[in-house]
Amino acid sequence: CISTYFDVPAAKAVAAIEAYVPSNNRSQMTRTGRNTLIIDAYNANPTSMAASLENFRGIKSDKKVLVLGDMLELGADSLKEHCSIVELAVSLNAQMVLLVGHEFERAVEKLGSDAAFDSAGVRLFADSSILREWLVQQQPSGATILIKGSRGTRLERIFDVL
């Protein structure tokens, strides 16, 4: 529709869209030697986090892992919003749900640990450096991994070990 409006041939518009490669940790899909990474670690808010999780739900993969960093600057709604995201993440039935940051820690404490959390492989990490150390030891492979969080959680620290 837009290409028609601007007199751009449809084939050129399609080629341009197909050639687009996102950068700056925004909606990037990267294949490493061991995993497929979906990196959206530049910004996170409740709406974008929920949309990313719902999109990830539809991806076909035998082994899914979620790496979610705190959504920062939510103010008084932070606990409620982080609780909602934890519940949504657990509902995806991923092999692991790796949560980074104090806000997710507070949410898990409020929700309480139960069988659903245990079966979902929920793990908490104070920061991305600690997660990185854990990932170096675990060396996950064969997984499709969604990495989503606010820039302040510095999730880019883990890319090279996945």
Side-chain angles (χ1 to χ4, degrees):
C1 197
I2 293 171
S3 69
T4 301
Y5 180 83
F6 287 105
D7 282 333
V8 174
K12 275 185 113 177
V14 168
I17 291 169
E18 288 175 342
Y20 174 72
V21 178
S23 60
N24 298 325
N25 301 328
R26 297 176 190 224
S27 301
Q28 292 174 252
M29 181 176 277
T30 304
R31 295 193 199 299
T32 69
R34 297 192 327 260
N35 300 292
T36 299
L37 310 181
I38 301 169
I39 302 169
D40 193 359
Y42 187 81
N43 189 13
N45 59 59
T47 302
S48 70
M49 186 75 80
S52 291
L53 290 171
E54 289 298 345
N55 286 335
F56 193 65
R57 182 189 304 274
I59 291 176
K60 300 232 186 281
S61 175
D62 293 333
K63 187 176 184 181
K64 291 183 178 181
V65 174
L66 297 171
V67 177
L68 305 177
D70 279 349
M71 300 174 287
L72 303 176
E73 302 174 9
L74 296 182
D77 292 330
S78 185
L79 181 59
K80 176 184 75 138
E81 296 295 352
H82 280 84
C83 286
S84 293
I85 293 301
V86 169
E87 291 173 327
L88 178 57
V90 168
S91 79
L92 267 61
N93 297 318
Q95 182 179 4
M96 288 185 284
V97 178
L98 310 176
L99 304 172
V100 180
H102 177 68
E103 296 301 315
F104 274 125
E105 181 182 3
R106 289 182 349 130
V108 169
E109 285 174 10
K110 180 175 173 57
L111 293 170
S113 183
D114 61 19
F117 278 37
D118 295 339
S119 66
V122 174
R123 292 184 169 271
L124 290 166
F125 300 88
D127 61 44
S128 57
S129 294
I130 295 169
L131 171 59
R132 179 186 167 77
E133 291 172 19
W134 186 83
L135 289 168
V136 166
Q137 292 174 354
Q138 299 301 311
Q139 295 188 3
S141 63
T144 301
I145 304 171
L146 173 64
I147 304 169
K148 175 79 174 156
S150 288
R151 174 69 190 92
T153 60
R154 302 192 62 201
L155 294 176
E156 71 276 359
R157 290 176 175 171
I158 68 168
F159 300 165
D160 68 323
V161 298
L162 294 171

